[in-house]
Amino acid sequence: MNDVLTNLPIWQRLGDHARRVIAIPLADIVAVHGRFEQMCHHAAGLTVDISKQRIDADTLAALIDLAGTVNLEAQLAALVAGATVNTTEGRAALHTALRGTASAPQAPDHAVVALERDRMLAMAERIRSGQWRGCSGKAIEDVVHIGIGGSYLGPALVVEALTPAPGAPRCHFIANVDGAAARAVLSRVQPETTLFIVASKSFGTIESRVNAETVRAWFVERTGDPSAFARHVIAITGNLPAAASFGIAEENTLAMWDWVGGRYSVWSSVGLPIAIHTGSAGFLEFLRGAHELDEHALTAPAARNLPMLLALVGIWNYNFLGAQSHAVLVYSHPLRRLPDYLQQLEMESNGKSVRNDGSGIDIQTMPVLWGGEETNGQHAFHQFLHQGTRAFSVDFVASIRPRARGRELSHHDDWLLANCLAQAEALISGRDGGTVADPLSRHRAMPGNRGSTTILLDAVSPHDLGALIALYEHKVYCQGMIWGINPFDQWGVELGKTIGESLFKELTGKRTAQASNVTHRLIETIKRRRED
Amino acid sequence: MNDVLTNLPIWQRLGDHARRVIAIPLADIVAVHGRFEQMCHHAAGLTVDISKQRIDADTLAALIDLAGTVNLEAQLAALVAGATVNTTEGRAALHTALRGTASAPQAPDHAVVALERDRMLAMAERIRSGQWRGCSGKAIEDVVHIGIGGSYLGPALVVEALTPAPGAPRCHFIANVDGAAARAVLSRVQPETTLFIVASKSFGTIESRVNAETVRAWFVERTGDPSAFARHVIAITGNLPAAASFGIAEENTLAMWDWVGGRYSVWSSVGLPIAIHTGSAGFLEFLRGAHELDEHALTAPAARNLPMLLALVGIWNYNFLGAQSHAVLVYSHPLRRLPDYLQQLEMESNGKSVRNDGSGIDIQTMPVLWGGEETNGQHAFHQFLHQGTRAFSVDFVASIRPRARGRELSHHDDWLLANCLAQAEALISGRDGGTVADPLSRHRAMPGNRGSTTILLDAVSPHDLGALIALYEHKVYCQGMIWGINPFDQWGVELGKTIGESLFKELTGKRTAQASNVTHRLIETIKRRRED
């Protein structure tokens, strides 16, 4: 184990820096000659600009020293080498291997991984091309993907973001256990032309299990043929026996690896809806973008290593400048689900308070990650950013070229980007503080003096989106390493599941659950009001 | 002006309480006999349960004293009496009058308000019933609502949440200026059977203006008949001349009042898509639910006044227990957009740092409001709630009866509610702290000891949804009154617009904008990469 982070001389040096830098107007820091060249870098189709952060040359040097002290370079090498980075579960975290980045070819077996990817892509092509036939001989027109958390957010983000390949069936998603979610999707599809995908590592996740049973019952009721369902369902799981007993043929079952965590699984067979939507070529481009970012992360010096810089800027904002939340403001309608995706990636990975050795951490870890689709957010919550009392950090995310560039709509794109740049500018500059003589001017005043990062994709392409997701994955990993926590477990979600099962019994039957008296009383109230 | 809040004896008493209460395990506080009766109340179809908050009987008494000290009762009365509560813009905020709650009938003129509502509802019925005919004599099948911020979030939330009335056309929304947003909607509709609604108080909001021009060009290109557009467009605006010069007939223009702020406008003609979707009866029920909540807010004593209690619980969490964010976790697929709606309502209203008299506030105001659709969030960010380092507050929102109760899916609903209750329970109880001898147990340990509020609708009905929105509106107002700030202005969003217009020119032409050098350099980079 490392020494406690806060005892390191570099940590104390950063604290001293913070006290100095906080007193300098951000506009002055930003005005320094040569700054843009030092703080805006490009790799794998991504431009990352940290030149608007409250970071001067000394701060940057100190942050880079921090990266050296905790040895981020070696940590990233260990990740792709298959070291047991997931210490509490005794596993490697080899999501990078799924995109061809691994320094130890023996683990996992590359041939096996490649074989499974080829199976998945072949399946996707059969579905997209119309070769896959349903029970009445018709081609598939709708794909319904059932999964939650890591088995949902990645495919949903990427499918929504990317242009469909010619002939691609429509992809729908059911995640929530709310019956309204399943009903909304089923009302739009026909059983004979619909293919269901059930993605669940354990094949026992309650939401996906309940939804899978509901779609099977729906299918059988409408076709009148229980045996036909097997031609309309694919499982993606690590539990083959459970999939088989649910009625899913072995040839229609794809593997989930135990060395890939749910929130890092978009590169695996969980990405099947993506491959159906974009075609194999698109999926391979998506992997290639992530691989290029991996190569960059593994080789670039910290001073221009995009994920390391993002991680360090985060640490600086969260631990030294007091940021209480991190906003991801996405100036791209196709990428509108990115904040949801990153909420899981960042908050489930680094929303922790115990260090690898079991000791409690003495500083703050990941804050709330939130955000929205812009420019909508400007008309909703930006008031808070410009005139609220709270410290926060921001990533602006945009695309240099829009997804599908219709000439006639290009002014839309310029307005979009101009607004993105303008918000970052307004956060720095603010507006003059007003005078006592004119009270209204005090209300119009904006303190400014607030930093931000801008991340630009060259285009909303499979390649650049792959790189973007990999960028954040490595950012998260680097922050975990700096904090000395394990970004790959999620012990905090277990207890709620157990209590949920127990309260389900109480809601549907007699009081049995161990729970607070106020919870029992609320359940009584619910039952009474349901009967009214 | 009030005295400075923090100098009030009651504020200091609350601070003393907080230091005492923070040391008591929440499980002990919650176990007190009679607590549920004291802290769970029902009105207007809503159940609000604060019994799981870190609030003991003394705290509650002190919070109620705070409500008395700042005179929330009189403040609410002043709101509906048409007092100039929007001090910086010299206006009343009479959104309650739109749902029949006003104590001063002369302002605004009730007859005028009723007349405009009747016009709107009649228009909605003509559209829904098929009487409204497009240029080729066909009925309307799709409604495309163009608006952003307050002209978007309310209608989108409510339309998505509620069951459509028989024969209702599909409602679509275009808010974002990203061309991809307009393109996605236009690809699904036909000009001859589509009606556009342009909602913009100024009729000059850049996003809505650009989108309105784009749909008009699309329509004219496809029909070849510029004059036909007038039969396919409705304006909701306070700027009649601008709507007229855009080609919208006066009889197709509905009023926006200057005494209703954008984020409080869902009750006005801005709700037209709701009336089309639910029918007039549904819209009137929606107003009636809000009105019932108004009556409750105006008459119930603070100890069981739902919006006052929510406001006080928020103040307690934000200002005394150090909550850095407020999560709204919605256990209802139909209500999934509620966090987006509340982000605007709460953060734009109370994300401020200047008091009414122009002095700077010396305490924190509204934190980030974030959240998500559950149970999805449990598989995404709940790790952070259970094991993160950050203090937060939570509203769980659920419905006692689901929207459309299919018997065959009722176990879905029970799982949904059971999970909602279980998360609140897990936040209190946590899991045992583990031992040094077993390091893994330290990783599995959860501190618990975290409070929450539960808000239950009797059903996802127009009535209860109206009440829910009104509940949050009054919560926001009460918090604004406690903090001594104006919840009805939004001066912080002006500057970004101005800079955006200037950077649009720079992006599409020559360097002209006043901006930081790093912004100019980033624009150069963008232009260069666009040409690659």
PDB file of all heavy atoms in Angstrom, chain B residues 124-125 127-128 143 155 157-171 173 271-280 282-283 403:
ATOM      1  N   ALA B 124     -57.257  22.923 -28.424  1.00  0.00           N
ATOM      2  CA  ALA B 124     -56.784  21.555 -28.164  1.00  0.00           C
ATOM      3  C   ALA B 124     -57.820  20.533 -28.594  1.00  0.00           C
ATOM      4  O   ALA B 124     -57.497  19.518 -29.227  1.00  0.00           O
ATOM      5  CB  ALA B 124     -56.442  21.391 -26.683  1.00  0.00           C
ATOM      6  N   GLU B 125     -59.078  20.802 -28.291  1.00  0.00           N
ATOM      7  CA  GLU B 125     -60.132  19.842 -28.647  1.00  0.00           C
ATOM      8  C   GLU B 125     -60.325  19.762 -30.160  1.00  0.00           C
ATOM      9  O   GLU B 125     -60.574  18.697 -30.704  1.00  0.00           O
ATOM     10  CB  GLU B 125     -61.447  20.203 -27.943  1.00  0.00           C
ATOM     11  CG  GLU B 125     -61.470  19.846 -26.463  1.00  0.00           C
ATOM     12  CD  GLU B 125     -61.175  18.364 -26.180  1.00  0.00           C
ATOM     13  OE1 GLU B 125     -61.540  17.498 -26.976  1.00  0.00           O
ATOM     14  OE2 GLU B 125     -60.530  18.088 -25.144  1.00  0.00           O
ATOM     15  N   ILE B 127     -58.039  20.165 -32.328  1.00  0.00           N
ATOM     16  CA  ILE B 127     -56.901  19.403 -32.863  1.00  0.00           C
ATOM     17  C   ILE B 127     -57.103  17.914 -32.591  1.00  0.00           C
ATOM     18  O   ILE B 127     -56.956  17.063 -33.460  1.00  0.00           O
ATOM     19  CB  ILE B 127     -55.586  19.911 -32.235  1.00  0.00           C
ATOM     20  CG1 ILE B 127     -55.333  21.361 -32.639  1.00  0.00           C
ATOM     21  CG2 ILE B 127     -54.416  19.007 -32.626  1.00  0.00           C
ATOM     22  CD1 ILE B 127     -54.358  22.107 -31.760  1.00  0.00           C
ATOM     23  N   ARG B 128     -57.468  17.597 -31.355  1.00  0.00           N
ATOM     24  CA  ARG B 128     -57.575  16.195 -30.963  1.00  0.00           C
ATOM     25  C   ARG B 128     -58.741  15.501 -31.677  1.00  0.00           C
ATOM     26  O   ARG B 128     -58.652  14.337 -32.077  1.00  0.00           O
ATOM     27  CB  ARG B 128     -57.747  16.093 -29.444  1.00  0.00           C
ATOM     28  CG  ARG B 128     -57.640  14.673 -28.920  1.00  0.00           C
ATOM     29  CD  ARG B 128     -57.618  14.653 -27.405  1.00  0.00           C
ATOM     30  NE  ARG B 128     -58.877  15.079 -26.837  1.00  0.00           N
ATOM     31  CZ  ARG B 128     -59.918  14.287 -26.625  1.00  0.00           C
ATOM     32  NH1 ARG B 128     -59.845  13.013 -26.932  1.00  0.00           N
ATOM     33  NH2 ARG B 128     -61.030  14.759 -26.103  1.00  0.00           N
ATOM     34  N   VAL B 143     -48.172  16.471 -33.395  1.00  0.00           N
ATOM     35  CA  VAL B 143     -47.969  17.842 -32.916  1.00  0.00           C
ATOM     36  C   VAL B 143     -46.490  17.977 -32.563  1.00  0.00           C
ATOM     37  O   VAL B 143     -45.940  17.132 -31.849  1.00  0.00           O
ATOM     38  CB  VAL B 143     -48.850  18.120 -31.685  1.00  0.00           C
ATOM     39  CG1 VAL B 143     -48.461  19.439 -31.033  1.00  0.00           C
ATOM     40  CG2 VAL B 143     -50.324  18.103 -32.067  1.00  0.00           C
ATOM     41  N   PRO B 155     -44.441  20.897 -20.370  1.00  0.00           N
ATOM     42  CA  PRO B 155     -45.233  20.066 -21.286  1.00  0.00           C
ATOM     43  C   PRO B 155     -44.602  18.693 -21.526  1.00  0.00           C
ATOM     44  O   PRO B 155     -45.317  17.686 -21.572  1.00  0.00           O
ATOM     45  CB  PRO B 155     -45.262  20.900 -22.578  1.00  0.00           C
ATOM     46  CG  PRO B 155     -45.025  22.296 -22.145  1.00  0.00           C
ATOM     47  CD  PRO B 155     -44.185  22.239 -20.903  1.00  0.00           C
ATOM     48  N   LEU B 157     -42.599  16.888 -19.545  1.00  0.00           N
ATOM     49  CA  LEU B 157     -42.793  16.051 -18.358  1.00  0.00           C
ATOM     50  C   LEU B 157     -44.212  15.497 -18.312  1.00  0.00           C
ATOM     51  O   LEU B 157     -44.419  14.288 -18.125  1.00  0.00           O
ATOM     52  CB  LEU B 157     -42.531  16.887 -17.092  1.00  0.00           C
ATOM     53  CG  LEU B 157     -43.055  16.320 -15.761  1.00  0.00           C
ATOM     54  CD1 LEU B 157     -42.290  15.058 -15.369  1.00  0.00           C
ATOM     55  CD2 LEU B 157     -42.956  17.352 -14.637  1.00  0.00           C
ATOM     56  N   VAL B 158     -45.190  16.367 -18.478  1.00  0.00           N
ATOM     57  CA  VAL B 158     -46.578  15.969 -18.238  1.00  0.00           C
ATOM     58  C   VAL B 158     -47.096  15.077 -19.369  1.00  0.00           C
ATOM     59  O   VAL B 158     -47.775  14.078 -19.117  1.00  0.00           O
ATOM     60  CB  VAL B 158     -47.471  17.210 -18.014  1.00  0.00           C
ATOM     61  CG1 VAL B 158     -48.912  16.794 -17.760  1.00  0.00           C
ATOM     62  CG2 VAL B 158     -46.947  18.032 -16.840  1.00  0.00           C
ATOM     63  N   VAL B 159     -46.758  15.426 -20.606  1.00  0.00           N
ATOM     64  CA  VAL B 159     -47.201  14.588 -21.727  1.00  0.00           C
ATOM     65  C   VAL B 159     -46.614  13.183 -21.600  1.00  0.00           C
ATOM     66  O   VAL B 159     -47.297  12.178 -21.799  1.00  0.00           O
ATOM     67  CB  VAL B 159     -46.807  15.236 -23.076  1.00  0.00           C
ATOM     68  CG1 VAL B 159     -46.912  14.232 -24.221  1.00  0.00           C
ATOM     69  CG2 VAL B 159     -47.679  16.457 -23.351  1.00  0.00           C
ATOM     70  N   GLU B 160     -45.341  13.114 -21.237  1.00  0.00           N
ATOM     71  CA  GLU B 160     -44.693  11.815 -21.099  1.00  0.00           C
ATOM     72  C   GLU B 160     -45.309  11.014 -19.958  1.00  0.00           C
ATOM     73  O   GLU B 160     -45.378   9.783 -20.010  1.00  0.00           O
ATOM     74  CB  GLU B 160     -43.204  12.057 -20.812  1.00  0.00           C
ATOM     75  CG  GLU B 160     -42.264  11.053 -21.367  1.00  0.00           C
ATOM     76  CD  GLU B 160     -40.842  11.596 -21.316  1.00  0.00           C
ATOM     77  OE1 GLU B 160     -40.280  11.728 -20.203  1.00  0.00           O
ATOM     78  OE2 GLU B 160     -40.304  11.911 -22.377  1.00  0.00           O
ATOM     79  N   ALA B 161     -45.750  11.714 -18.919  1.00  0.00           N
ATOM     80  CA  ALA B 161     -46.221  11.026 -17.718  1.00  0.00           C
ATOM     81  C   ALA B 161     -47.631  10.473 -17.871  1.00  0.00           C
ATOM     82  O   ALA B 161     -47.948   9.432 -17.294  1.00  0.00           O
ATOM     83  CB  ALA B 161     -46.176  11.985 -16.524  1.00  0.00           C
ATOM     84  N   LEU B 162     -48.477  11.161 -18.628  1.00  0.00           N
ATOM     85  CA  LEU B 162     -49.909  10.844 -18.586  1.00  0.00           C
ATOM     86  C   LEU B 162     -50.358  10.018 -19.783  1.00  0.00           C
ATOM     87  O   LEU B 162     -49.838  10.151 -20.885  1.00  0.00           O
ATOM     88  CB  LEU B 162     -50.726  12.132 -18.493  1.00  0.00           C
ATOM     89  CG  LEU B 162     -50.472  12.968 -17.233  1.00  0.00           C
ATOM     90  CD1 LEU B 162     -51.296  14.250 -17.269  1.00  0.00           C
ATOM     91  CD2 LEU B 162     -50.756  12.178 -15.962  1.00  0.00           C
ATOM     92  N   THR B 163     -51.352   9.191 -19.544  1.00  0.00           N
ATOM     93  CA  THR B 163     -51.963   8.379 -20.599  1.00  0.00           C
ATOM     94  C   THR B 163     -52.652   9.296 -21.605  1.00  0.00           C
ATOM     95  O   THR B 163     -53.360  10.217 -21.196  1.00  0.00           O
ATOM     96  CB  THR B 163     -53.039   7.470 -19.967  1.00  0.00           C
ATOM     97  OG1 THR B 163     -52.487   6.879 -18.793  1.00  0.00           O
ATOM     98  CG2 THR B 163     -53.463   6.381 -20.927  1.00  0.00           C
ATOM     99  N   PRO B 164     -52.483   9.059 -22.886  1.00  0.00           N
ATOM    100  CA  PRO B 164     -53.160   9.912 -23.867  1.00  0.00           C
ATOM    101  C   PRO B 164     -54.668   9.681 -23.865  1.00  0.00           C
ATOM    102  O   PRO B 164     -55.144   8.577 -23.611  1.00  0.00           O
ATOM    103  CB  PRO B 164     -52.544   9.493 -25.207  1.00  0.00           C
ATOM    104  CG  PRO B 164     -51.912   8.162 -24.964  1.00  0.00           C
ATOM    105  CD  PRO B 164     -51.585   8.085 -23.511  1.00  0.00           C
ATOM    106  N   ALA B 165     -55.402  10.745 -24.152  1.00  0.00           N
ATOM    107  CA  ALA B 165     -56.860  10.616 -24.344  1.00  0.00           C
ATOM    108  C   ALA B 165     -57.105   9.920 -25.679  1.00  0.00           C
ATOM    109  O   ALA B 165     -56.251   9.954 -26.562  1.00  0.00           O
ATOM    110  CB  ALA B 165     -57.494  12.006 -24.338  1.00  0.00           C
ATOM    111  N   PRO B 166     -58.277   9.307 -25.833  1.00  0.00           N
ATOM    112  CA  PRO B 166     -58.555   8.620 -27.102  1.00  0.00           C
ATOM    113  C   PRO B 166     -58.400   9.570 -28.288  1.00  0.00           C
ATOM    114  O   PRO B 166     -58.860  10.702 -28.248  1.00  0.00           O
ATOM    115  CB  PRO B 166     -60.017   8.198 -26.936  1.00  0.00           C
ATOM    116  CG  PRO B 166     -60.271   8.170 -25.468  1.00  0.00           C
ATOM    117  CD  PRO B 166     -59.396   9.213 -24.874  1.00  0.00           C
ATOM    118  N   GLY B 167     -57.702   9.091 -29.309  1.00  0.00           N
ATOM    119  CA  GLY B 167     -57.568   9.876 -30.537  1.00  0.00           C
ATOM    120  C   GLY B 167     -56.526  10.964 -30.499  1.00  0.00           C
ATOM    121  O   GLY B 167     -56.380  11.711 -31.464  1.00  0.00           O
ATOM    122  N   ALA B 168     -55.830  11.095 -29.389  1.00  0.00           N
ATOM    123  CA  ALA B 168     -54.862  12.190 -29.284  1.00  0.00           C
ATOM    124  C   ALA B 168     -53.735  12.005 -30.295  1.00  0.00           C
ATOM    125  O   ALA B 168     -53.202  10.906 -30.442  1.00  0.00           O
ATOM    126  CB  ALA B 168     -54.295  12.246 -27.874  1.00  0.00           C
ATOM    127  N   PRO B 169     -53.346  13.070 -30.997  1.00  0.00           N
ATOM    128  CA  PRO B 169     -52.169  12.983 -31.866  1.00  0.00           C
ATOM    129  C   PRO B 169     -50.918  12.745 -31.018  1.00  0.00           C
ATOM    130  O   PRO B 169     -50.911  12.997 -29.812  1.00  0.00           O
ATOM    131  CB  PRO B 169     -52.099  14.360 -32.529  1.00  0.00           C
ATOM    132  CG  PRO B 169     -53.252  15.148 -32.045  1.00  0.00           C
ATOM    133  CD  PRO B 169     -53.945  14.400 -30.963  1.00  0.00           C
ATOM    134  N   ARG B 170     -49.898  12.252 -31.666  1.00  0.00           N
ATOM    135  CA  ARG B 170     -48.607  12.105 -30.970  1.00  0.00           C
ATOM    136  C   ARG B 170     -47.994  13.485 -30.751  1.00  0.00           C
ATOM    137  O   ARG B 170     -48.011  14.316 -31.660  1.00  0.00           O
ATOM    138  CB  ARG B 170     -47.649  11.269 -31.829  1.00  0.00           C
ATOM    139  CG  ARG B 170     -48.029   9.802 -31.965  1.00  0.00           C
ATOM    140  CD  ARG B 170     -47.143   9.104 -32.991  1.00  0.00           C
ATOM    141  NE  ARG B 170     -47.412   9.586 -34.347  1.00  0.00           N
ATOM    142  CZ  ARG B 170     -48.315   9.042 -35.177  1.00  0.00           C
ATOM    143  NH1 ARG B 170     -49.022   7.988 -34.791  1.00  0.00           N
ATOM    144  NH2 ARG B 170     -48.503   9.548 -36.384  1.00  0.00           N
ATOM    145  N   CYS B 171     -47.415  13.714 -29.570  1.00  0.00           N
ATOM    146  CA  CYS B 171     -46.724  14.985 -29.306  1.00  0.00           C
ATOM    147  C   CYS B 171     -45.220  14.772 -29.347  1.00  0.00           C
ATOM    148  O   CYS B 171     -44.703  13.838 -28.735  1.00  0.00           O
ATOM    149  CB  CYS B 171     -47.117  15.547 -27.941  1.00  0.00           C
ATOM    150  SG  CYS B 171     -48.785  16.218 -27.891  1.00  0.00           S
ATOM    151  N   PHE B 173     -41.296  16.976 -29.272  1.00  0.00           N
ATOM    152  CA  PHE B 173     -40.720  18.218 -28.763  1.00  0.00           C
ATOM    153  C   PHE B 173     -39.376  18.486 -29.428  1.00  0.00           C
ATOM    154  O   PHE B 173     -38.562  17.573 -29.583  1.00  0.00           O
ATOM    155  CB  PHE B 173     -40.535  18.127 -27.245  1.00  0.00           C
ATOM    156  CG  PHE B 173     -41.839  18.013 -26.505  1.00  0.00           C
ATOM    157  CD1 PHE B 173     -42.429  16.777 -26.261  1.00  0.00           C
ATOM    158  CD2 PHE B 173     -42.507  19.160 -26.093  1.00  0.00           C
ATOM    159  CE1 PHE B 173     -43.648  16.674 -25.611  1.00  0.00           C
ATOM    160  CE2 PHE B 173     -43.735  19.067 -25.440  1.00  0.00           C
ATOM    161  CZ  PHE B 173     -44.303  17.817 -25.195  1.00  0.00           C
ATOM    162  N   GLY B 271     -49.168  24.954 -21.702  1.00  0.00           N
ATOM    163  CA  GLY B 271     -49.625  23.582 -21.499  1.00  0.00           C
ATOM    164  C   GLY B 271     -50.459  23.033 -22.655  1.00  0.00           C
ATOM    165  O   GLY B 271     -51.004  21.928 -22.545  1.00  0.00           O
ATOM    166  N   LEU B 272     -50.550  23.761 -23.766  1.00  0.00           N
ATOM    167  CA  LEU B 272     -51.357  23.297 -24.900  1.00  0.00           C
ATOM    168  C   LEU B 272     -51.068  21.840 -25.298  1.00  0.00           C
ATOM    169  O   LEU B 272     -52.017  21.066 -25.504  1.00  0.00           O
ATOM    170  CB  LEU B 272     -51.170  24.248 -26.097  1.00  0.00           C
ATOM    171  CG  LEU B 272     -51.847  23.856 -27.419  1.00  0.00           C
ATOM    172  CD1 LEU B 272     -53.365  23.762 -27.278  1.00  0.00           C
ATOM    173  CD2 LEU B 272     -51.483  24.840 -28.529  1.00  0.00           C
ATOM    174  N   PRO B 273     -49.799  21.423 -25.403  1.00  0.00           N
ATOM    175  CA  PRO B 273     -49.564  20.011 -25.750  1.00  0.00           C
ATOM    176  C   PRO B 273     -50.179  19.050 -24.722  1.00  0.00           C
ATOM    177  O   PRO B 273     -50.617  17.958 -25.078  1.00  0.00           O
ATOM    178  CB  PRO B 273     -48.042  19.871 -25.764  1.00  0.00           C
ATOM    179  CG  PRO B 273     -47.511  21.255 -25.913  1.00  0.00           C
ATOM    180  CD  PRO B 273     -48.511  22.162 -25.276  1.00  0.00           C
ATOM    181  N   ILE B 274     -50.225  19.478 -23.471  1.00  0.00           N
ATOM    182  CA  ILE B 274     -50.837  18.641 -22.439  1.00  0.00           C
ATOM    183  C   ILE B 274     -52.327  18.502 -22.717  1.00  0.00           C
ATOM    184  O   ILE B 274     -52.892  17.399 -22.674  1.00  0.00           O
ATOM    185  CB  ILE B 274     -50.621  19.248 -21.036  1.00  0.00           C
ATOM    186  CG1 ILE B 274     -49.130  19.405 -20.740  1.00  0.00           C
ATOM    187  CG2 ILE B 274     -51.323  18.414 -19.970  1.00  0.00           C
ATOM    188  CD1 ILE B 274     -48.836  20.189 -19.461  1.00  0.00           C
ATOM    189  N   ALA B 275     -52.966  19.625 -23.016  1.00  0.00           N
ATOM    190  CA  ALA B 275     -54.412  19.604 -23.277  1.00  0.00           C
ATOM    191  C   ALA B 275     -54.730  18.782 -24.522  1.00  0.00           C
ATOM    192  O   ALA B 275     -55.755  18.101 -24.574  1.00  0.00           O
ATOM    193  CB  ALA B 275     -54.940  21.035 -23.416  1.00  0.00           C
ATOM    194  N   ILE B 276     -53.846  18.846 -25.515  1.00  0.00           N
ATOM    195  CA  ILE B 276     -54.053  18.023 -26.713  1.00  0.00           C
ATOM    196  C   ILE B 276     -53.908  16.544 -26.350  1.00  0.00           C
ATOM    197  O   ILE B 276     -54.678  15.698 -26.784  1.00  0.00           O
ATOM    198  CB  ILE B 276     -53.045  18.417 -27.816  1.00  0.00           C
ATOM    199  CG1 ILE B 276     -53.298  19.850 -28.286  1.00  0.00           C
ATOM    200  CG2 ILE B 276     -53.104  17.434 -28.984  1.00  0.00           C
ATOM    201  CD1 ILE B 276     -52.219  20.414 -29.211  1.00  0.00           C
ATOM    202  N   HIS B 277     -52.920  16.249 -25.520  1.00  0.00           N
ATOM    203  CA  HIS B 277     -52.598  14.859 -25.171  1.00  0.00           C
ATOM    204  C   HIS B 277     -53.638  14.240 -24.241  1.00  0.00           C
ATOM    205  O   HIS B 277     -54.057  13.097 -24.427  1.00  0.00           O
ATOM    206  CB  HIS B 277     -51.216  14.842 -24.530  1.00  0.00           C
ATOM    207  CG  HIS B 277     -50.745  13.499 -24.074  1.00  0.00           C
ATOM    208  ND1 HIS B 277     -50.277  12.547 -24.946  1.00  0.00           N
ATOM    209  CD2 HIS B 277     -50.656  12.953 -22.839  1.00  0.00           C
ATOM    210  CE1 HIS B 277     -49.924  11.463 -24.271  1.00  0.00           C
ATOM    211  NE2 HIS B 277     -50.144  11.683 -22.982  1.00  0.00           N
ATOM    212  N   THR B 278     -54.046  14.994 -23.226  1.00  0.00           N
ATOM    213  CA  THR B 278     -54.950  14.411 -22.220  1.00  0.00           C
ATOM    214  C   THR B 278     -56.401  14.774 -22.481  1.00  0.00           C
ATOM    215  O   THR B 278     -57.296  14.205 -21.859  1.00  0.00           O
ATOM    216  CB  THR B 278     -54.621  14.929 -20.800  1.00  0.00           C
ATOM    217  OG1 THR B 278     -54.877  16.343 -20.765  1.00  0.00           O
ATOM    218  CG2 THR B 278     -53.195  14.664 -20.419  1.00  0.00           C
ATOM    219  N   GLY B 279     -56.623  15.745 -23.361  1.00  0.00           N
ATOM    220  CA  GLY B 279     -57.962  16.294 -23.508  1.00  0.00           C
ATOM    221  C   GLY B 279     -58.211  17.379 -22.466  1.00  0.00           C
ATOM    222  O   GLY B 279     -57.489  17.463 -21.466  1.00  0.00           O
ATOM    223  N   SER B 280     -59.251  18.184 -22.702  1.00  0.00           N
ATOM    224  CA  SER B 280     -59.566  19.292 -21.792  1.00  0.00           C
ATOM    225  C   SER B 280     -59.800  18.808 -20.380  1.00  0.00           C
ATOM    226  O   SER B 280     -59.358  19.423 -19.411  1.00  0.00           O
ATOM    227  CB  SER B 280     -60.847  19.993 -22.226  1.00  0.00           C
ATOM    228  OG  SER B 280     -60.660  20.632 -23.424  1.00  0.00           O
ATOM    229  N   GLY B 282     -58.634  16.288 -18.813  1.00  0.00           N
ATOM    230  CA  GLY B 282     -57.364  15.964 -18.158  1.00  0.00           C
ATOM    231  C   GLY B 282     -56.630  17.223 -17.730  1.00  0.00           C
ATOM    232  O   GLY B 282     -56.098  17.302 -16.617  1.00  0.00           O
ATOM    233  N   PHE B 283     -56.621  18.213 -18.604  1.00  0.00           N
ATOM    234  CA  PHE B 283     -55.916  19.455 -18.261  1.00  0.00           C
ATOM    235  C   PHE B 283     -56.574  20.139 -17.073  1.00  0.00           C
ATOM    236  O   PHE B 283     -55.896  20.641 -16.172  1.00  0.00           O
ATOM    237  CB  PHE B 283     -55.869  20.386 -19.479  1.00  0.00           C
ATOM    238  CG  PHE B 283     -54.929  21.540 -19.296  1.00  0.00           C
ATOM    239  CD1 PHE B 283     -53.559  21.362 -19.454  1.00  0.00           C
ATOM    240  CD2 PHE B 283     -55.393  22.799 -18.936  1.00  0.00           C
ATOM    241  CE1 PHE B 283     -52.672  22.416 -19.261  1.00  0.00           C
ATOM    242  CE2 PHE B 283     -54.514  23.864 -18.745  1.00  0.00           C
ATOM    243  CZ  PHE B 283     -53.145  23.668 -18.913  1.00  0.00           C
ATOM    244  N   ARG B 403     -49.354   3.905 -13.342  1.00  0.00           N
ATOM    245  CA  ARG B 403     -50.140   4.701 -14.275  1.00  0.00           C
ATOM    246  C   ARG B 403     -51.304   3.908 -14.847  1.00  0.00           C
ATOM    247  O   ARG B 403     -52.451   4.263 -14.694  1.00  0.00           O
ATOM    248  CB  ARG B 403     -49.259   5.209 -15.411  1.00  0.00           C
ATOM    249  CG  ARG B 403     -50.047   6.080 -16.373  1.00  0.00           C
ATOM    250  CD  ARG B 403     -49.181   6.810 -17.337  1.00  0.00           C
ATOM    251  NE  ARG B 403     -48.655   5.928 -18.356  1.00  0.00           N
ATOM    252  CZ  ARG B 403     -47.952   6.334 -19.395  1.00  0.00           C
ATOM    253  NH1 ARG B 403     -47.652   7.608 -19.524  1.00  0.00           N
ATOM    254  NH2 ARG B 403     -47.499   5.491 -20.288  1.00  0.00           N
TER     255      ARG B 403
END
